[in-house]
Amino acid sequence: MQGLMLKLLNVDAAGERALRVVAYFDQLGSNKPDFESVVRATALIADCPAGLQLPDRGLFVRFAPEGTMLGTGGRPSVRAPLATDSGEGGTVWLERDGDALELDEFIVERFALTASAVIDRERPNTEFELAHGFSDPALAQLLVNERASEAERSRAAQLMGLQAGSSVQLVALEPDADDELEDLPVRLRNQWLRPTYLAELSRHLILLVVVTREPIDWAPVDLKGRGASGPIVDVLDAPRSWTGAREALRFAGAGASWPRLLNADSLGVIQLLGKLDSAVVGAHPDVARIEHVAAAPNGAESILVLDHFLHADSVRAAAREVNYHHSSLQTRVKRIGELIGIDLTSASGRERAALALLLWRTFRSGT
């Protein structure tokens, strides 16, 4: 952006300079900035202090062109109101000593449009959404963004309906096509007896924020998909809980011995596996051979047989799970063992195969 500012100063045609201002703010807006970033960028391109005020939120932001935050004071030389879909009012301005420059009105207009877009993106939830536990995905993403400032996360939490100082547990949920999401927050509130907020980040990933001081209990929850909860944290520390939930989600439903819904703290030392380099894991011969078995004809069945054999209490129990005669199961397992190069008749071999299968599943999921 500083390079663009230098180009602006060296362009003679007013029309071309205006187009460069448009490009500057368009680029800024495409990066989903917060209010501080918008004000700081405006002060830079205008080469004078710039400010923004949202009375309804008690928000006042003012920056010098050098990028330093300023306190109250200053005298606006040109200002513009903010027009938002939500009807929230506010003002942006430039503070130029002396007469306004040629593009000041145009710059403050683009400033206002960009700031209005931030307001609409971070709009407060409606009373209906708050009552039913739904949250704006943009606010949820800001809440769990570890690069966001505490002030930004605090503002996002407030707009989502969360109180400052609350203890929360974040949940990463990968819903199944049969899961009903319309009343999910209400159902979870009734089951957990705790305030619960839902934000649908994508078709395959949902963020839940549960206000609680005790770990949630998955036992009463009826979901077809997979879910994992992170540690309990202060609301401003939400990114840490979200990271734990995302890492734990890799293990949810990872084979016959893993529940589809789990808490991160139930993983213990197994969490360390999720921190391995995916390229290193995928290239390991044991994991590569599991992949080879899975990709072969009837590969899904072979993986299922291996999984139940490794985790069932006995060969007969595993045979019942996959609807095999126990002698047929033993024959199939022996063939699989030869394919992956592991002696599945020994305890150490079974442990090695189980770890290879778990690594293959968790890194293959890419959650």
Side-chain angles (χ1 to χ4, degrees):
M1 290 183 177
Q2 289 175 328
L4 182 56
M5 179 60 196
L6 292 176
K7 291 181 181 179
L8 275 169
L9 296 175
N10 293 321
V11 172
D12 293 331
E16 188 171 351
R17 290 199 297 273
L19 288 176
R20 291 185 182 274
V21 170
V22 172
Y24 180 85
F25 280 100
D26 283 350
Q27 180 185 2
L28 176 65
S30 68
N31 292 323
K32 296 183 177 180
D34 54 26
F35 292 115
E36 290 185 3
S37 298
V38 173
V39 178
R40 187 189 300 113
T42 302
L44 172 65
I45 194 173
D47 196 27
C48 70
L52 173 148
Q53 186 170 21
L54 300 176
D56 292 345
R57 303 192 192 189
L59 181 67
F60 182 93
V61 183
R62 184 168 170 254
F63 273 91
E66 297 79 22
T68 55
M69 181 174 284
L70 303 173
T72 57
R75 187 171 59 184
S77 57
V78 57
R79 67 173 71 213
L82 299 178
T84 64
D85 294 340
S86 63
E88 183 175 359
T91 308
V92 296
W93 66 85
L94 300 179
E95 301 172 15
R96 181 86 64 191
D97 291 335
D99 296 334
L101 299 186
E102 179 185 19
L103 288 178
D104 280 1
E105 292 281 354
F106 191 69
I107 289 174
V108 84
E109 177 186 332
R110 304 304 301 186
F111 180 15
L113 289 173
T114 307
S116 296
V118 176
I119 293 174
D120 289 332
R121 191 176 74 243
E122 297 186 2
R123 64 177 178 81
N125 294 322
T126 64
E127 291 184 5
F128 175 85
E129 289 172 325
L130 288 174
H132 289 76
F134 287 96
S135 295
D136 183 0
L139 292 177
Q141 288 176 330
L142 183 60
L143 179 69
V144 299
N145 185 347
E146 60 185 7
R147 291 176 294 181
S149 67
E150 282 197 1
E152 292 167 335
R153 289 201 293 272
S154 177
R155 183 167 62 246
Q158 181 181 9
L159 295 176
M160 289 174 66
L162 300 168
Q163 300 299 315
S166 296
S167 293
V168 296
Q169 187 170 24
L170 273 66
V171 177
L173 181 64
E174 187 180 90
D176 185 84
D178 294 331
D179 285 326
E180 296 290 338
L181 303 181
E182 288 77 9
D183 63 343
L184 181 59
V186 174
R187 284 193 284 125
L188 293 177
R189 282 184 177 189
N190 293 335
Q191 290 164 341
W192 288 331
L193 301 179
R194 294 171 175 86
T196 302
Y197 302 89
L198 178 152
E200 194 169 356
L201 303 186
S202 71
R203 291 176 55 194
H204 306 293
L205 184 63
I206 287 174
L207 181 152
L208 297 174
V209 181
V210 186
V211 181
T212 180
R213 294 186 180 276
E214 299 292 334
I216 60 172
D217 180 10
W218 284 109
V221 177
D222 181 22
L223 289 172
K224 306 293 185 184
R226 305 187 305 133
S229 62
I232 296 173
V233 298
D234 182 85
V235 68
L236 295 183
D237 200 20
R240 182 165 66 89
S241 185
W242 179 238
T243 297
R246 292 294 305 276
E247 291 177 350
L249 186 60
R250 307 185 103 165
F251 299 94
S257 63
W258 288 90
R260 290 179 295 100
L261 306 170
L262 54 80
N263 289 315
D265 58 9
S266 68
L267 294 174
V269 72
I270 293 174
Q271 294 184 65
L272 296 177
L273 297 178
K275 301 183 183 300
L276 297 175
D277 186 284
S278 59
V280 173
V281 171
H284 192 279
D286 284 358
V287 178
R289 291 187 191 111
I290 293 288
E291 172 64 31
H292 178 72
V293 170
N298 301 316
E301 183 181 0
S302 295
I303 294 296
L304 184 65
V305 167
L306 176 63
D307 196 3
H308 281 284
F309 171 77
L310 293 171
H311 298 103
D313 293 334
S314 66
V315 173
R316 291 184 182 274
R320 285 194 299 270
E321 291 290 338
V322 294
N323 200 26
Y324 266 61
H325 188 275
H326 70 275
S327 61
S328 299
L329 180 74
Q330 287 177 313
T331 301
R332 184 71 177 272
V333 167
K334 181 180 179 181
R335 189 179 309 123
I336 295 172
E338 292 170 351
L339 289 172
I340 63 177
I342 299 175
D343 178 11
L344 298 178
T345 64
S346 69
S348 60
R350 290 191 295 274
E351 186 173 347
R352 174 182 164 189
L355 180 57
L357 182 60
L358 177 60
L359 288 170
W360 172 76
R361 271 214 166 99
T362 55
F363 282 90
R364 181 170 175 264
S365 70
T367 301

